[in-house]
Amino acid sequence: GLLDLVADAIDAASASRPLPEAVQAAAGRRFDLMLPFGCEGPVEGERTAPFGWRYDEAKSTLRVWINPMRWERALWGITETGEGKAAFEGFWIARPWSTAPECPATPLSGAINTDPSGQAQGELAIARLIGDDAGKSARRLDIVKRMAPDDFDAVRGFALRITGRLQSAEAGGPVRCFQRAGLHERPQCMIIGDFAELRVENSKTGDLLGVWPVSETNQRE
């Protein structure tokens, strides 16, 4: 259903038309989105990737992390009003053409491209509007668990589950599409919602690895 809304928003943006009524009417509807991650295998070195995991065989310990991204509203074509430093916080959807809730059966190679400024390049993102903490960096979400190697599957990876409600027009509408380089390019889009909860699940077993009410994901002082 979310992909259908995005397709309608892309079509309107490509023709310089207003957001379709059907997309605007979706504001307030509940959503439940699964984002598979870790499909490229473990990540070595610094934990700067948007999503990542690694396994310490000597300690039988799995570490999973998530780094939410932040975007200024101007990057999505929304003019600032001087009412504060509101921004968007969320995630790029790595494979927006797929509705599968887990990684492909064939391991992927390579990860989503992230430039040094932290503004990853993708086709579709999902984000929430934040206010007071917009000028700070987002808090990394970490999970560390003792786990046997056969308790998870490196090929199937993990999944971030985001639940909430689609946002109103005040935040730019439930879906915001923007063509940075002009009408000749495919629009980049953002699904905008009020997040209720973030959960990380083990794709092999369906077990819950970690849960964060959104009130607990804000930047620490």
Side-chain angles (χ1 to χ4, degrees), residues 5-20 23 76 175-180 182-190:
L5 293 177
V6 171
D8 289 344
I10 286 175
D11 187 54
S14 299
S16 298
R17 296 195 304 266
L19 200 64
V23 179
W76 291 89
V175 182
R176 173 73 181 176
C177 293
F178 187 57
Q179 290 170 290
R180 305 182 193 282
L183 295 177
H184 66 280
E185 73 169 7
R186 180 182 176 86
Q188 286 182 310
C189 296
M190 175 183 284

Side-chain angles (χ1 to χ4, degrees), residues 143-166:
I143 299 168
V144 180
K145 285 188 175 293
R146 291 185 62 83
M147 186 176 292
D150 57 358
D151 287 343
F152 68 96
D153 186 336
V155 173
R156 296 174 69 179
F158 305 92
L160 171 66
R161 187 169 199 160
I162 308 172
T163 58
R165 290 183 182 273
L166 294 176

Side-chain angles (χ1 to χ4, degrees), residues 2-220:
L2 289 174
L3 292 180
D4 289 341
L5 293 177
V6 171
D8 289 344
I10 286 175
D11 187 54
S14 299
S16 298
R17 296 195 304 266
L19 200 64
E21 184 176 342
V23 179
Q24 296 185 49
R29 287 174 55 185
R30 293 182 182 274
F31 68 86
D32 186 340
L33 179 64
M34 295 282 281
L35 300 183
F37 71 91
C39 308
E40 301 85 12
V43 176
E44 303 300 332
E46 296 294 324
R47 290 177 286 149
T48 56
F51 301 91
W53 65 272
R54 65 174 63 126
Y55 186 72
D56 187 329
E57 294 186 4
K59 298 180 180 180
S60 298
T61 300
L62 175 72
R63 179 184 289 274
V64 179
W65 70 85
I66 298 170
N67 288 311
M69 297 187 62
R70 287 191 177 174
W71 298 271
E72 295 180 1
R73 291 193 296 177
L75 289 171
W76 291 89
I78 299 176
T79 303
E80 294 294 343
T81 62
E83 299 176 353
K85 295 183 178 180
F88 291 114
E89 179 180 285
F91 311 93
W92 284 110
I93 299 175
R95 303 175 67 245
W97 52 86
S98 172
T99 60
E102 61 185 46
C103 297
T106 302
L108 297 176
S109 60
I112 189 169
N113 174 44
T114 307
D115 67 32
S117 69
Q119 301 298 334
Q121 300 300 309
E123 293 183 8
L124 177 62
I126 183 165
R128 65 187 181 105
L129 189 67
I130 60 172
D132 294 341
D133 289 337
K136 304 176 183 178
S137 60
R139 174 189 171 187
R140 183 170 59 222
L141 309 179
D142 277 300
I143 299 168
V144 180
K145 285 188 175 293
R146 291 185 62 83
M147 186 176 292
D150 57 358
D151 287 343
F152 68 96
D153 186 336
V155 173
R156 296 174 69 179
F158 305 92
L160 171 66
R161 187 169 199 160
I162 308 172
T163 58
R165 290 183 182 273
L166 294 176
Q167 185 57 279
S168 65
E170 285 75 13
V175 182
R176 173 73 181 176
C177 293
F178 187 57
Q179 290 170 290
R180 305 182 193 282
L183 295 177
H184 66 280
E185 73 169 7
R186 180 182 176 86
Q188 286 182 310
C189 296
M190 175 183 284
I191 300 167
I192 305 171
D194 290 321
F195 294 1
E197 191 175 71
L198 305 179
R199 302 164 64 95
V200 171
E201 299 179 4
N202 182 343
S203 294
K204 178 179 180 178
T205 64
D207 291 344
L208 179 65
L209 298 180
V211 58
W212 299 271
V214 167
S215 61
E216 296 181 7
T217 67
N218 293 332
Q219 171 69 28
R220 294 169 174 165

